Amino acid sequence: MTLLELKNVTKKFGGLTAVGNMDLKLEKDSILGLIGPNGAGKTTIFNLITGIYRVTEGDIIFENKPINHLEPFQVADAGITRTFQNIRLFKELSTYDNILTACHYNTNYTIMDSVLRNKKYREGEKKLHKQVTDLLDIMELTDRKDLVAGNLPYGLQRRLEIARALALHPKLLLLDEPAAGMNPDETIKLMKLIKEVRKQFDLTVLVIEHHMDLIMGICDQVVVLNFGKKLAEGNTQEIQSNPKVIEAYLGEEEIIC
Ligand SMILES: Nc1ncnc2c1ncn2[C@@H]1O[C@H](COP(=O)(O)OP(=O)(O)OP(=O)(O)O)[C@@H](O)[C@H]1O
């Protein structure tokens, strides 16, 4: 079943076509990798899906409904969350509180309940605490829960961003360069975590990444972009042996991995 579809999507910035006539299908429960050289249009696609940018032309369909007119918070409500290329945590808050702020989105008590500290509020808070504790555990951040997020090592900040995105119970998770700045050991650990959370949360994942070992290690399908256009798509083996991809992108592998 197709969860997300881009139909003939174009995004122009003035005279620059960042994404041109893009068709893309993302099957439910799959992990799709989006790769391509710098400036190929990958992050623009994330910004279009999440409502940060408006399409110039075309449609974005999620669960059979168009979402390209929705505001970012409505896209999140529909079940799509993301992480950012440039980490966007609340750097002064603790690891725990960063996840808690996202979990608060799921509460059903009112301001009045919290002022009165009534049963509904207390039960809601207990549920929140459990959600945060579970996410800390899954992302292996429990022993850092009291640390200020800005002081976490880079790799753990990236894991915290994923934990925060998961707090909204997404159906589709968009990861923008989740392994950027990570060493090989951290990358291997991240790959394992992404596979685990995909299963545990029944997630579909769209991931942008320059680390080819991560893409080739976790993706079911890969789409290669070049100058805002689709250059190739297929499974990891097909992509690795595609001469057009090798020429435009994978030939650079030694530099980017
Ligand atoms: N808000 C914007 N205004 C003008 N041009 C933009 C804007 N956002 C992106 N672009 C341009 O669109 C093109 C695609 O950019 P995009 O960030 O999507 O590429 P990318 O594939 O994600 O690159 P990278 O791997 O470096 O992150 C680039 O030429 C970029 O300069």
Side-chain angles (χ1 to χ4, degrees):
M1 179 197 145
T2 303
L3 183 69
L4 177 85
E5 186 170 4
L6 269 62
K7 284 186 174 171
N8 201 28
V9 166
T10 294
K11 176 63 185 174
K12 291 186 182 174
F13 297 104
L16 175 89
T17 302
V19 176
N21 306 103
M22 177 65 57
D23 289 318
L24 191 144
K25 270 190 186 181
L26 181 48
E27 295 303 312
K28 190 173 173 329
D29 296 331
S30 67
I31 303 184
L32 182 106
L34 205 51
I35 66 172
N38 295 117
K42 306 178 296 293
T43 299
T44 301
I45 289 180
F46 272 25
N47 286 334
L48 291 168
I49 295 170
T50 51
I52 292 172
Y53 294 158
R54 291 274 169 250
V55 298
T56 309
E57 265 174 54
D59 277 307
I60 302 176
I61 313 288
F62 181 65
E63 293 190 308
N64 299 318
K65 291 183 206 118
I67 57 163
N68 38 296
H69 59 287
L70 298 183
E71 296 298 328
F73 72 92
Q74 294 171 314
V75 175
D77 278 344
I80 303 177
T81 60
R82 70 177 290 180
T83 64
F84 291 87
Q85 195 174 347
N86 305 313
I87 299 174
R88 295 191 191 178
L89 293 167
F90 301 113
K91 301 238 176 203
E92 308 299 322
L93 293 184
S94 70
T95 302
Y96 182 97
D97 285 342
N98 263 277
I99 303 177
L100 182 65
T101 49
C103 287
H104 259 292
Y105 203 67
N106 307 323
T107 52
N108 61 356
Y109 60 74
T110 62
I111 293 181
M112 194 45 84
D113 292 327
S114 66
V115 171
L116 296 172
R117 310 238 151 195
N118 60 17
K119 193 168 171 225
K120 194 171 170 194
Y121 165 79
R122 288 195 308 274
E123 280 176 356
E125 283 292 291
K126 211 166 147 189
K127 257 194 217 157
L128 281 183
H129 175 70
K130 165 112 179 56
Q131 282 173 24
V132 179
T133 311
D134 286 350
L135 283 167
L136 285 167
D137 188 34
I138 291 160
M139 295 312 286
E140 300 181 16
L141 290 164
T142 306
D143 57 344
R144 316 287 177 114
K145 72 181 169 60
D146 297 322
L147 280 189
V148 169
N151 289 346
L152 287 176
Y154 201 62
L156 296 188
Q157 291 192 24
R158 291 219 168 264
R159 288 216 313 247
L160 177 54
E161 264 218 317
I162 297 175
R164 204 177 54 172
L166 291 174
L168 299 183
H169 306 305
K171 296 170 190 161
L172 170 61
L173 177 65
L174 309 181
L175 300 173
D176 196 345
E177 298 196 31
M182 286 190 181
N183 64 36
D185 284 349
E186 288 173 326
T187 306
I188 288 168
K189 186 159 206 172
L190 179 71
M191 284 163 65
K192 215 175 114 231
L193 282 172
I194 294 173
K195 281 187 191 166
E196 272 169 24
V197 293
R198 199 206 66 72
K199 243 196 247 161
Q200 198 166 335
F201 288 78
D202 197 17
L203 274 177
T204 305
V205 179
L206 180 55
V207 55
I208 296 174
E209 188 49 73
H210 286 290
H211 280 64
M212 282 308 112
D213 37 4
L214 184 135
I215 290 289
M216 299 306 165
I218 66 168
C219 293
D220 303 301
Q221 288 287 307
V222 179
V223 168
V224 188
L225 298 184
N226 202 16
F227 298 113
K229 297 260 182 199
K230 203 194 284 178
L231 182 73
E233 69 181 313
N235 64 33
T236 52
Q237 281 176 347
E238 288 163 347
I239 292 300
Q240 274 171 306
S241 57
N242 183 316
K244 281 196 287 184
V245 180
I246 292 168
E247 189 190 343
Y249 188 57
L250 290 183
E252 300 169 41
E253 195 175 352
E254 277 180 15
I255 301 165
I256 57 184
C257 281

